[in-house]
Amino acid sequence: MVDFNVLQPSAPMIGRLVVIGLGLIGGSFAKGLRKSGLCDEVIGMDLDQQSRKLAVKLGVVDRCEVDLALACNGADVIQLAVPVLAMEKLLGLLANIDLGHAILTDVGSVKSNVVRVARFAFNDMLARFVPGHPIVGSERGGIEASNEQLFRHYKVILTPLEQTDPAALAVVDRLWCELGADVEYMQVERHDKVLALTSHLPHLLAFCFVDSLAKRNEIFDMFHYAAGGLCDFTRIASSDPVMWRDIFLANREAVLCALDTFLGDLDSFRSAVDTGDGRQLLSVCTRARMAREYFSNILVHRAYIENDM
Amino acid sequence: MVDFNVLQPSAPMIGRLVVIGLGLIGGSFAKGLRKSGLCDEVIGMDLDQQSRKLAVKLGVVDRCEVDLALACNGADVIQLAVPVLAMEKLLGLLANIDLGHAILTDVGSVKSNVVRVARFAFNDMLARFVPGHPIVGSERGGIEASNEQLFRHYKVILTPLEQTDPAALAVVDRLWCELGADVEYMQVERHDKVLALTSHLPHLLAFCFVDSLAKRNEIFDMFHYAAGGLCDFTRIASSDPVMWRDIFLANREAVLCALDTFLGDLDSFRSAVDTGDGRQLLSVCTRARMAREYFSNILVHRAYIENDM
């Protein structure tokens, strides 16, 4: 059991950390906390044998388990780092296992679906479930890319529920802080709306745009003339297709809402091009550029912090 | 007059090169050719006094002129490197000046509007007009960013007309080759269609998307949670608003056609999200990612050439 009162910086805070799903995110979380000395033991679990072998070989975990119940036995904290839709199935399985006093948390990109399933699957356990989401890129996946610095200076959003035990929340918060993350709390619905706008919709547009070219067999020709725009779009569209299918389905409502608002604005821009309304076009492009300048300041500030530490 | 028969690698090929518009593209073109020794003299012209001063100070040109007629007097080649819509006005002014035997060429991002104006403005002169477009990024503009290596290994598309004098085309081709560019010929309409797809439409989507957030005052909040998608979109949307307004207006037809095709595909994707058609979402995302892999090979090949030379 966690005792915050006797917590010392260098002393182990928890006994056993279990990380289920050894991809980039799960692997980086496990590796960082194993190195931190904050956990007595870090156990990994993954359906893929190769990932389990690599996780031990690369020092990401102390050891791996194949059986879910065995892996979770005696756990203090269980981190769920599987794809968004697999999360639903996994929560169902965990509901049938005696998890003892363990704190459950996750890293899913969408929170409302995970919380919905958790509410359905758990009773008392819900108080010890802390939904979370580290906002880091995911183009390069896999345990091989695990990096204990991955979360450093990046946002991690926790979306505690009314029922969430403050002590459980504090433990998860502390683990992320140990990895250098900038932890913030948000309502579940707010999180899903913000992510739909900042991440899901741009990805949707990029996937759709690149496929729109590709399926007309024009892309192989087009790529030879690609400079700015297309290059950036294809980079965004190089993310894992399964992960993104899951995200679009799991965050259906917020994604559709964001898309429809955008489509309205896009239609206005289309009309401005059609009618030759240069003033309207200029004002849209100018505002967009000003927003970038504001954003650049945030990026510069972030780089400054990174160099400083 | 150019005499190709006596052309030697190190000997000046042309007497006087005039570059009108000393931005990043015009400046880099002038600087590179001045260094190449292919021209006896490189003269710059720009409406902005500061740009003219800097062009001389930075060794971009031998000297600058303020008056268009004076600048073009005795020119062998005149490069038009002004924004797309300013090109139309400039061609009108040039039509009233005796350009002697000069070859005219340009770097406009859209070709059909430039050619339309040139047809209207010139009679005999049309044979010596070689429309062109170097496909290089343009986020960082201005004479200060002039770089004689800018076009190295990048495509330059020339769109000669039926009337174009082959000798004039050969001279312009040779100048770009001297700068290390990969010169290719294309029909005017084809050029505008290709660029609408590879560059204009992605920029339109990025400008529109970023503005859609910005005008709802959400962006300042959103930016703090931006990881992948939004960052890339804002980078694209940081390009010069006036230049892009001009491009959208000048390439109206091709841009609208590309946008409408995309909107059809986007609508299908929207339906797939709405109805939970995971198979459809996965196939779009997978095809898009495969296209990226194909594209990566082109990029790797390009980097390989660059390192090799």
Side-chain angles (χ1 to χ4, degrees):
Chain A
M1 190 70 87
V2 179
D3 183 353
F4 252 61
N5 297 324
V6 297
L7 189 67
Q8 297 294 324
S10 56
M13 182 176 87
I14 61 173
R16 182 174 292 174
L17 169 68
V18 177
V19 178
I20 302 177
L22 296 168
L24 172 65
I25 304 293
S28 299
F29 184 83
K31 196 175 185 179
L33 287 174
R34 186 164 178 256
K35 285 205 176 181
S36 75
L38 222 61
C39 315
D40 274 330
E41 192 184 27
V42 178
I43 297 176
M45 146 122 203
D46 197 285
L47 294 178
D48 180 57
Q49 192 189 3
Q50 183 64 12
S51 294
R52 292 197 303 269
K53 274 190 187 169
L54 272 172
V56 175
K57 193 178 160 195
L58 299 172
V60 169
V61 296
D62 292 303
R63 61 185 176 85
C64 278
E65 288 283 355
V66 183
D67 181 78
L68 189 62
L70 273 178
C72 296
N73 187 26
D76 293 296
V77 175
I78 303 172
Q79 173 63 279
L80 313 180
V82 300
V84 168
L85 291 191
M87 204 74 86
E88 301 184 8
K89 190 181 168 192
L90 178 59
L91 284 168
L93 293 172
L94 288 168
N96 294 317
I97 295 174
D98 176 13
L99 299 175
H101 61 266
I103 295 167
L104 266 187
T105 185
D106 81 309
V107 296
S109 310
V110 182
K111 300 270 56 83
S112 52
N113 71 317
V114 175
V115 168
R116 191 161 49 231
V117 176
R119 277 191 205 283
F120 182 77
F122 299 131
N123 282 318
D124 302 344
M125 192 67 201
L126 195 61
R128 300 186 67 73
F129 177 50
V130 181
H133 176 212
I135 303 185
V136 293
S138 58
E139 279 169 43
R140 242 166 34 104
I143 186 83
E144 305 87 333
S146 293
N147 167 16
E148 65 268 29
Q149 301 283 326
L150 186 69
F151 309 108
R152 211 171 156 76
H153 305 309
Y154 280 89
K155 289 266 184 208
V156 169
I157 301 178
L158 301 180
T159 61
L161 314 174
E162 270 182 39
Q163 298 92 332
T164 305
D165 173 7
L169 179 61
V171 170
V172 175
D173 188 323
R174 176 77 174 83
L175 293 178
W176 284 113
C177 287
E178 186 66 24
L179 298 174
D182 177 11
V183 179
E184 198 165 309
Y185 299 167
M186 217 182 254
Q187 295 275 341
V188 168
E189 295 70 26
R190 168 89 181 138
H191 169 276
D192 287 359
K193 190 192 161 194
V194 167
L195 267 289
L197 287 167
T198 58
S199 171
H200 307 170
L201 184 51
H203 275 85
L204 187 155
L205 295 173
F207 275 123
C208 234
F209 180 84
V210 175
D211 178 55
S212 182
L213 283 185
K215 75 178 180 188
R216 291 187 173 76
N217 293 315
E218 279 171 338
I219 202 156
F220 304 108
D221 195 12
M222 294 300 156
F223 272 145
H224 291 282
Y225 309 105
L230 183 56
C231 299
D232 291 309
F233 270 57
T234 58
R235 189 176 47 249
I236 302 174
S238 70
S239 306
D240 180 36
V242 171
M243 184 182 110
W244 281 97
R245 176 204 58 189
D246 286 7
I247 289 174
F248 295 139
L249 291 176
N251 204 21
R252 178 182 162 279
E253 279 170 47
V255 166
L256 289 179
C257 176
L259 175 57
D260 290 344
T261 302
F262 171 67
L263 283 174
D265 291 334
L266 189 57
D267 191 53
S268 302
F269 198 89
R270 192 201 176 286
S271 298
V273 174
D274 197 17
T275 59
D277 184 350
R279 238 176 72 173
Q280 168 69 357
L281 299 179
L282 187 62
S283 76
V284 169
C285 296
T286 305
R287 268 196 309 248
R289 194 196 208 184
M290 279 168 59
R292 166 66 186 190
E293 279 161 21
Y294 173 81
F295 187 41
S296 294
N297 290 335
I298 297 180
L299 292 178
V300 167
H301 181 67
R302 203 183 272 175
Y304 174 77
I305 293 174
E306 274 179 31
N307 288 331
D308 204 36
M309 291 176 91
Chain B
M1 192 70 93
V2 180
D3 184 353
F4 252 61
N5 297 322
V6 298
L7 189 66
Q8 299 293 326
S10 57
M13 183 177 87
I14 60 172
R16 181 174 294 175
L17 169 68
V18 176
V19 177
I20 302 176
L22 297 168
L24 173 65
I25 304 292
S28 299
F29 185 84
K31 195 174 186 182
L33 288 173
R34 185 162 177 258
K35 284 206 175 177
S36 75
L38 223 61
C39 315
D40 275 331
E41 191 183 29
V42 178
I43 296 176
M45 145 123 204
D46 197 286
L47 294 178
D48 179 57
Q49 191 190 4
Q50 182 65 9
S51 295
R52 292 196 303 270
K53 275 190 186 168
L54 271 172
V56 175
K57 193 179 161 194
L58 299 172
V60 169
V61 296
D62 292 302
R63 61 185 175 84
C64 278
E65 288 283 356
V66 183
D67 181 78
L68 189 62
L70 273 178
C72 296
N73 186 27
D76 292 297
V77 175
I78 302 171
Q79 173 64 278
L80 314 180
V82 300
V84 167
L85 292 190
M87 204 75 84
E88 301 184 9
K89 190 182 168 193
L90 179 58
L91 283 168
L93 293 171
L94 288 168
N96 294 318
I97 295 174
D98 177 12
L99 299 176
H101 61 266
I103 296 167
L104 266 187
T105 186
D106 82 309
V107 297
S109 309
V110 182
K111 299 270 56 84
S112 53
N113 71 317
V114 175
V115 167
R116 191 163 48 232
V117 176
R119 278 190 204 282
F120 182 77
F122 299 130
N123 282 319
D124 302 344
M125 192 65 201
L126 195 61
R128 301 184 67 73
F129 177 50
V130 182
H133 176 212
I135 304 186
V136 293
S138 56
E139 279 169 42
R140 241 167 33 103
I143 186 81
E144 306 86 335
S146 294
N147 166 18
E148 65 268 28
Q149 302 283 327
L150 186 69
F151 308 109
R152 211 171 157 75
H153 305 308
Y154 279 90
K155 291 266 183 207
V156 169
I157 301 178
L158 301 180
T159 61
L161 313 174
E162 270 182 40
Q163 299 92 332
T164 306
D165 174 7
L169 179 61
V171 170
V172 175
D173 187 323
R174 176 78 173 82
L175 293 178
W176 283 112
C177 286
E178 185 67 24
L179 298 174
D182 177 12
V183 180
E184 198 166 309
Y185 299 167
M186 217 182 254
Q187 296 275 342
V188 168
E189 294 73 23
R190 168 91 181 137
H191 169 277
D192 287 358
K193 189 192 161 194
V194 167
L195 267 289
L197 286 167
T198 58
S199 171
H200 307 171
L201 185 51
H203 275 84
L204 185 155
L205 294 173
F207 275 122
C208 236
F209 179 83
V210 175
D211 178 53
S212 183
L213 283 186
K215 76 179 180 187
R216 289 186 175 76
N217 294 316
E218 281 171 339
I219 202 155
F220 304 108
D221 195 12
M222 294 298 155
F223 273 145
H224 291 282
Y225 309 104
L230 183 56
C231 298
D232 291 309
F233 271 56
T234 57
R235 189 175 47 248
I236 302 174
S238 70
S239 306
D240 180 36
V242 171
M243 185 181 107
W244 281 98
R245 176 202 59 190
D246 285 8
I247 288 174
F248 295 138
L249 292 175
N251 203 21
R252 179 181 161 279
E253 280 171 46
V255 166
L256 289 179
C257 177
L259 176 57
D260 290 344
T261 303
F262 171 68
L263 283 174
D265 292 334
L266 189 56
D267 191 53
S268 302
F269 198 89
R270 192 201 177 286
S271 298
V273 174
D274 198 15
T275 61
D277 185 349
R279 237 175 75 172
Q280 168 69 359
L281 299 180
L282 188 61
S283 76
V284 168
C285 295
T286 305
R287 270 197 308 250
R289 194 194 207 185
M290 280 168 61
R292 167 64 185 191
E293 279 161 21
Y294 174 83
F295 186 42
S296 294
N297 289 335
I298 297 179
L299 292 178
V300 167
H301 181 67
R302 202 183 272 173
Y304 175 77
I305 293 174
E306 275 179 29
N307 288 331
D308 204 37
M309 292 175 89

